[in-house]
Amino acid sequence: MNSYPHLFEPLDLGFTQLKNRVIMGSMHTGLEDRPWHFSKLAAYFEERAKGGAALLITGGFSPNRAGDLLPFGSKLMSQWQVPFHRKVTDAVHKHDSKIVLQILHAGRYGYTPLNVAPSAIQSPITPFKPKELSASQIESTIRQYGRTAKLAKKAGYDGVEIMGSEGYLITQMLNERTNRRTDEWGGSYENRMRFALEVVRSIREQAGDDFIVVFRLSMLDLVEGGSSAEEIATLARALQQQGVNILNTGIGWHEARVPTIVTSVPRAAFVEATARVKACVDIPVVASNRINMPDVAEDILASGKADLIAMARPFLADPEWVNKAQEGRADEINTCIACNQACLDHTFENKRASCLVNPRACHELELQYTPVTDAQHVMVIGAGPAGLACAVVAAQRGHKVTLVESRDHIGGQFNLAAQIPGKEEFHETIRYFNAMIRKHNIDLKLSTLADEALINELKPDHVVVSTGVKPRIPAIPGIEHEKVISYQRLLSEKPPVGQRVAVLGAGGIGFDVSEYLTHEGKSTSLDASAWQKEWGVDVNSTTAGGLAVPELHPSPREVWLLQRKTSRHGKGLNKTTGWVHRAVLKMKNVQMLGGVEYLGIDDQGLHIRVTRDDISEERTLDVDNIILCTGQESVSELYQQLESVAETSNFDVHLVGGAEFAGELDAKRAIRLASELAASLN
Ligand code: NAP
Ligand code: SF4
């Protein structure tokens, strides 16, 4: 019997059936915006349909120009667009999966000066103040939702999802925070929810009954002035009455100051909000947010808290997620680690989405792992993220691969990242690579130092040097003092650390290390209830918006995070996650010092000169330890040696990952370039 019986139970919607309980949730990839990208979009969806998802939801398409997320953003409003969408629906239907088009009107979140909203109130995250919709514009917008649904049906979609969460137009209509109207669309909750219900009516009227209508309902707004539990339940029942087939979960507006999907959010952290809505209705309800592995999904369904599971990013990471779970191969799932680095960060930078752990995502036609006819022997030296990706892709294509690692374990810098509270998911990537090493019969040689003698003995056709990085040791007088610890030694050997600590370097690793130093005990990312208390989340929405007073966990030590730059700390962190790291360190009272010059280290502590507004002041931080997070340098001596004998050797030599370029040491780049290299080895 399958280990996940609830996950693989079909669902009968009356006029149509879903083959299992897994939905690929909506994710804007950047391929939706231009018709000439629809072949790529079709290939992307086809892989996920082939991979077993029962129902796929597209990225958001606006019903009209005023609803654009970005200027010239994705819309479905004219007949000429239908044939492009046909490519997508035909590709999905080849694999017994269903697909619905998400209709998303951005309202005041539209990143355009033409945006509109129930009231002319600017959002805190967009630069444009919206124009207030007139009553007749509201009525035409409702008709346009119906028009989009009708066009979607013509294009072969099995239904639509109405985006009614995350703070977009429908949510703006529902809440007094954004709706101050005094006409029949504002005031009482009955008036404020009329727009959502009219949208459903218009869609049913124009697209008919044999058409799936999913409504993504904001089950927890996480903003002041958001909906109460009673209002959410009233809306859920009214939507059911109006003919919605499935209620999907939305958590948090984009302007919320509580993280909802980043890696430090515990798995299934918001499922109680879904269960609360499920208890009010008879139609199927979908759980979402930070569900990335089949055991978590199965537990939710088995406990009766939801009827379906939606995952978006996990399908970028692994299109075959469903088939692997069904075939008892869950250990082969390439798990989404919720880093946002290649997906949402790209979307917010207006770039095509992809995935840090799967660079083929949204590049299915461009990056292909074609089986080889003439297998070669590929020797990969270094089993960090770049070496692992290269070894696995080469082996998957049919090459004979030997992977050599000097340590007694694989994973490189990912092992260090996994030590940070809130980054436990990085263990999953290492588990995945271990499973792939076994599956593809990669000859893994641990605790082995690769040198010319070993290469001559193994006689490979290709040598890939991915020997990674070492911490940069800055030239500060006293740097050899016993107080000084590199981040690498701190996280791998875990030496005792004193009560007062200075962290040098405020890049991604300086922030991570500061989080490590200011937490004690079990990571709240592994305990949903503790995490909710820490962030002030009231999943029962007993207060409007579901916000409670946060319960702070004080840091066990005093930490200073120092940088030489005078710019804001954490300015270079990623867009969708950087604010969370800054908020955590603020909660932990970490003292940020910029414009610092390091003068020396001795028994007294760290001597610095701080310059601010042209005024310099010398200080001594009486610290017990100094942790170096001052960047990395490439470890590439072996490559240089091999290059020098390249003309006389019988193998090609390649360099990837941090060993090639430590300046932008970043796993996304390392895995992508290593995968591309492996895809090209012939
Ligand atoms: P980084 O971002 O380059 O930061 C190192 C910091 O050290 C610099 O910002 C620099 O700041 C300082 N520094 C450099 N040379 C120095 C010197 N000689 N003396 C004193 N200070 C010096 O690198 P990182 O923090 O090691 O992170 C590496 C990469 O890992 C990042 O680029 C990122 O892609 C990835 N990462 C990201 C995250 C995340 O986003 N949360 C977490 C971990 C890792 P000043 O010159 O201003 O002092
Ligand atoms: Fe998940 Fe990170 Fe990949 Fe996005 S980039 S899908 S968050 S692993």
Side-chain angles (χ1 to χ4, degrees):
M1 196 176 102
N2 185 280
S3 317
Y4 313 109
H6 296 85
L7 207 50
F8 292 101
E9 197 182 317
L11 180 71
D12 191 356
L13 293 172
F15 61 94
T16 189
Q17 288 75 39
L18 301 183
K19 63 184 172 185
N20 58 48
R21 302 298 177 108
V22 187
I23 296 179
M24 174 177 163
S26 177
M27 172 90 211
H28 197 81
T29 65
L31 293 172
E32 298 81 359
D33 299 331
R34 305 286 170 261
W36 54 88
H37 284 155
F38 270 54
S39 299
K40 291 178 185 152
L41 192 62
Y44 159 75
F45 277 118
E46 181 167 1
E47 280 206 7
R48 276 84 195 157
K50 199 172 165 197
L55 177 69
L56 297 94
I57 306 178
T58 66
F61 285 83
S62 176
N64 59 24
R65 282 190 188 85
D68 273 356
L69 251 180
L70 294 166
F72 309 107
S74 51
K75 290 180 275 297
L76 178 54
M77 49 187 288
S78 304
Q79 177 63 38
W80 68 266
Q81 295 165 311
V82 166
F84 295 101
H85 286 268
R86 261 281 166 206
K87 291 184 188 181
V88 172
T89 55
D90 285 349
V92 168
H93 289 150
K94 278 191 240 164
H95 303 281
D96 188 27
S97 294
K98 308 265 186 296
I99 181 161
V100 300
L101 177 114
Q102 188 187 72
I103 312 182
L104 183 156
H105 188 303
R108 71 176 189 159
Y109 280 170
Y111 218 82
T112 112
L114 303 177
N115 67 1
V116 294
S119 302
I121 306 169
Q122 191 176 335
S123 100
I125 56 168
T126 40
F128 303 105
K129 185 171 177 178
K131 289 200 180 53
E132 179 172 312
L133 283 160
S134 67
S136 70
Q137 283 171 326
I138 291 179
E139 274 156 23
S140 57
T141 304
I142 290 167
R143 282 195 300 278
Q144 285 153 352
Y145 269 92
R147 177 183 65 188
T148 297
K150 190 174 173 181
L151 290 168
K153 194 169 189 185
K154 273 195 179 167
Y157 287 102
D158 301 281
V160 291
E161 176 177 77
I162 303 164
M163 174 43 114
S165 65
E166 326 300 295
Y168 292 116
L169 180 67
I170 291 179
T171 344
Q172 293 160 26
M173 281 283 189
L174 285 166
N175 291 279
E176 279 176 335
R177 175 184 176 84
T178 39
N179 181 349
R180 308 273 167 82
R181 301 178 73 94
T182 51
D183 61 4
E184 71 271 35
W185 303 102
S188 66
Y189 191 64
E190 198 188 346
N191 278 359
R192 283 182 275 131
M193 73 176 190
R194 178 170 296 136
F195 182 74
L197 300 178
E198 284 296 295
V199 163
V200 178
R201 188 196 49 72
S202 169
I203 287 171
R204 276 277 171 244
E205 200 173 272
Q206 297 193 54
D209 289 335
D210 55 342
F211 195 59
I212 302 172
V213 177
V214 183
F215 189 97
R216 187 147 185 211
L217 173 64
S218 188
M219 302 200 186
L220 199 57
D221 289 327
L222 299 177
V223 289
E224 280 168 25
S227 299
S228 65
E230 203 183 315
E231 288 171 340
I232 296 164
T234 304
L235 178 59
R237 283 190 286 262
L239 289 166
Q240 169 174 286
Q241 183 95 23
Q242 196 76 332
V244 164
N245 304 105
I246 297 175
L247 284 177
N248 193 1
T249 296
I251 301 288
W253 293 29
H254 287 314
E255 68 206 61
R257 291 292 90 186
V258 176
T260 56
I261 56 167
V262 302
T263 190
S264 55
V265 174
R267 290 178 175 183
F270 304 105
V271 73
E272 298 305 331
T274 306
R276 182 165 43 77
V277 170
K278 180 169 158 51
C280 312
V281 293
D282 302 316
I283 53 176
V285 178
V286 188
S288 78
N289 285 56
R290 288 291 286 117
I291 302 167
N292 60 353
M293 287 301 278
D295 52 344
V296 183
E298 177 68 16
D299 281 354
I300 293 170
L301 298 178
S303 64
K305 290 178 180 162
D307 305 286
L308 293 143
I309 301 295
M311 295 174 290
R313 297 171 301 167
F315 278 103
L316 289 187
D318 197 333
E320 282 192 274
W321 193 103
V322 177
N323 288 347
K324 287 179 180 176
Q326 191 158 23
E327 292 160 12
R329 298 188 287 127
D331 65 326
E332 292 180 18
I333 289 176
N334 195 1
T335 305
C336 165
I337 56 174
C339 65
N340 286 357
Q341 272 177 253
C343 52
L344 287 174
D345 283 329
H346 280 207
T347 306
F348 281 93
E349 288 163 19
N350 215 0
K351 293 199 303 211
R352 194 193 317 180
S354 188
C355 172
L356 180 141
V357 299
N358 172 25
R360 286 197 70 244
C362 306
H363 296 74
E364 287 73 15
L365 296 181
E366 292 123 307
L367 179 55
Q368 300 200 349
Y369 302 152
T370 321
V372 290
T373 44
D374 176 21
Q376 309 255 303
H377 182 188
V378 180
M379 179 177 177
V380 179
I381 301 171
L388 286 164
C390 184
V392 167
V393 172
Q396 208 176 319
R397 295 184 57 222
H399 288 306
K400 172 180 177 273
V401 177
T402 306
L403 177 59
V404 183
E405 167 59 50
S406 61
R407 293 192 183 82
D408 63 357
H409 55 269
I410 65 162
Q413 298 274 317
F414 267 35
N415 291 298
L416 304 182
Q419 305 310 313
I420 308 299
K423 287 202 162 177
E424 295 80 7
E425 293 285 5
F426 281 71
H427 286 300
E428 294 287 6
T429 308
I430 298 171
R431 182 265 309 142
Y432 161 77
F433 277 123
N434 270 316
M436 289 298 103
I437 287 169
R438 287 193 297 275
K439 183 180 172 90
H440 297 296
N441 297 318
I442 293 173
D443 181 11
L444 174 64
K445 296 186 187 303
L446 292 173
S447 309
T448 304
L449 205 59
D451 54 15
E452 277 190 66
L454 184 68
I455 295 167
N456 290 335
E457 184 192 322
L458 294 176
K459 298 188 176 41
D461 301 300
H462 295 275
V463 175
V464 178
V465 180
S466 49
T467 38
V469 293
K470 59 182 181 204
R472 176 187 292 126
I473 308 296
I476 303 172
I479 193 75
E480 63 292 334
H481 195 282
E482 60 184 7
K483 284 173 189 261
V484 179
I485 305 174
S486 73
Y487 76 89
Q488 198 163 31
R489 188 160 86 79
L490 176 78
L491 298 175
S492 53
E493 296 173 23
K494 308 212 166 156
V497 178
Q499 287 302 108
R500 293 162 61 83
V501 182
V503 176
L504 271 51
I509 291 178
F511 267 75
D512 275 359
V513 161
S514 301
E515 287 190 38
Y516 172 85
L517 293 168
T518 52
H519 283 72
E520 67 180 346
K522 187 177 172 187
S523 163
T524 53
S525 302
L526 302 175
D527 179 343
S529 158
W531 180 88
Q532 285 158 8
K533 286 186 188 136
E534 191 176 26
W535 281 93
V537 175
D538 168 16
V539 269
N540 295 319
S541 278
T542 48
T543 53
L547 291 177
V549 179
E551 282 180 21
L552 298 182
H553 296 189
S555 165
R557 53 177 66 84
E558 228 177 320
V559 174
W560 285 263
L561 177 57
L562 311 186
Q563 65 176 18
R564 299 175 302 181
K565 292 186 273 293
T566 50
S567 55
R568 189 168 60 118
H569 272 61
K571 196 163 178 259
L573 296 179
N574 297 329
K575 174 116 181 151
T576 61
T577 51
W579 69 271
V580 184
H581 296 295
R582 285 192 294 272
V584 169
L585 296 198
K586 196 170 171 200
M587 284 199 263
K588 299 289 184 179
N589 218 5
V590 169
Q591 300 186 48
M592 312 276 187
L593 279 184
V596 175
E597 188 184 340
Y598 307 115
L599 303 177
I601 298 164
D602 57 24
D603 290 347
Q604 284 181 305
L606 173 68
H607 303 282
I608 55 174
R609 182 180 299 121
V610 183
T611 306
R612 217 176 282 140
D613 301 329
D614 291 336
I615 299 170
S616 290
E617 180 202 1
E618 287 195 15
R619 289 177 61 180
T620 299
L621 296 181
D622 169 20
V623 289
D624 306 307
N625 289 105
I626 291 150
I627 315 292
L628 300 180
C629 302
T630 42
Q632 293 82 20
E633 285 166 2
S634 296
V635 176
S636 57
E637 292 79 5
L638 179 64
Y639 177 76
Q640 280 146 19
Q641 266 174 38
L642 297 178
E643 273 272 89
S644 65
V645 295
E647 281 187 7
T648 54
S649 57
N650 294 324
F651 54 81
D652 291 335
V653 59
H654 315 266
L655 184 65
V656 284
E660 182 194 11
F661 188 51
E664 265 182 41
L665 163 72
D666 129 24
K668 178 178 75 172
R669 180 176 180 276
I671 292 177
R672 180 176 58 79
L673 292 180
S675 303
E676 286 173 2
L677 169 66
S680 71
L681 290 180
N682 281 315

